[in-house]
Amino acid sequence: NDIYVDASVPDDSKNGFAPYFAKRTLAAAAALATAKGDVIHAAPGIYDEGAMKPMESASATSNRVNLAAGVGLVGAGADVTVIEGRHATHDADKLGNGPDALRCVYCGTGAYVRGFTLRGGATNAKSASHDNTAGGGGIRGGAAIDCVVTNNVCGYRGGNGNGNAFIRCTV
C-alpha cells in the first residue's frame, strides 16, 4: 500500500490512500502501514503532531512515528520535510529526557526513513533500561537514508540514533 500524509491538511479524517486524501499526522498514516512493503509518502512540512508507542513495549518511549517491520517512510527531501520530536517538559533530566519526551522515529526490523530532517527528539529513560525506552532520540532501529539528524538526545545509547544504519546522512 501507498499511504499519504500532509502536515498542511486540517485533520486525519481522510483515508490516506491518495495524495488528495492525505492524513495529517505521521501517527495516523503509520497506523495504516502495517505490512512489509507499505510506503508512507510525506509532503513537505513540519510533522510535530501525534505520538505512538512501539508495538513491542507499552512502557517504551513514545514516537512521532512508529514504523512496522519492512515499512518505508519517504519525505520530499531533508531540506523541506521535518519530523520534530519533543524534549520532556516535566520530570526531565538536564538533557530533556523524561516521561513525556518523544523520539522522532522508531523502526521495526527492515523499516526505513528517507528524505527527512529528524530533530529535537528525546527518550523516556534517563539511564540504562529497556532498549526501546533508552536508545536514540532521533531514530531507533531500521535505517535513515538521505536524512539530516540533529539536536536529539537520550540518556543512554546514542542521542541521534541507536541500533540503526545511517546511509548518506548528515548527523
Side-chain angles (χ1 to χ4, degrees):
N1 290 316
D2 288 309
I3 296 118
Y4 297 85
V5 62
D6 186 339
S8 70
V9 301
D11 56 41
D12 283 327
S13 64
K14 304 278 172 82
N15 69 19
F17 293 112
Y20 44 86
F21 291 133
K23 295 288 189 184
R24 176 179 177 82
T25 64
L26 292 169
L32 297 172
T34 58
K36 183 178 180 181
D38 285 354
V39 178
I40 301 167
H41 303 274
I46 297 175
Y47 294 89
D48 60 357
E49 295 184 41
M52 308 175 76
K53 294 281 188 189
M55 291 175 236
E56 297 85 12
S57 173
S59 66
T61 295
S62 288
N63 310 284
R64 286 289 181 214
V65 62
N66 178 36
L67 297 176
V71 170
L73 174 60
V74 179
D79 54 334
V80 295
T81 318
V82 177
I83 299 174
E84 186 81 46
R86 181 179 69 209
H87 291 193
T89 57
H90 65 84
D91 192 29
D93 66 13
K94 65 183 178 180
L95 296 175
N97 298 294
D100 65 332
L102 287 172
R103 178 188 289 124
C104 295
V105 181
Y106 176 85
C107 294
T109 303
Y112 66 91
V113 179
R114 183 174 69 214
F116 278 88
T117 290
L118 309 176
R119 71 180 184 205
T123 62
N124 182 353
K126 295 184 256 182
S127 62
S129 68
H130 187 276
D131 281 345
N132 295 339
T133 302
I139 183 171
R140 170 77 174 108
I145 306 163
D146 299 324
C147 291
V148 174
V149 188
T150 186
N151 196 33
N152 299 286
V153 298
C154 87
Y156 190 72
R157 298 192 190 114
N160 281 315
N162 180 258
N164 62 284
F166 288 115
I167 302 166
R168 296 183 309 272
C169 293
T170 301
V171 181

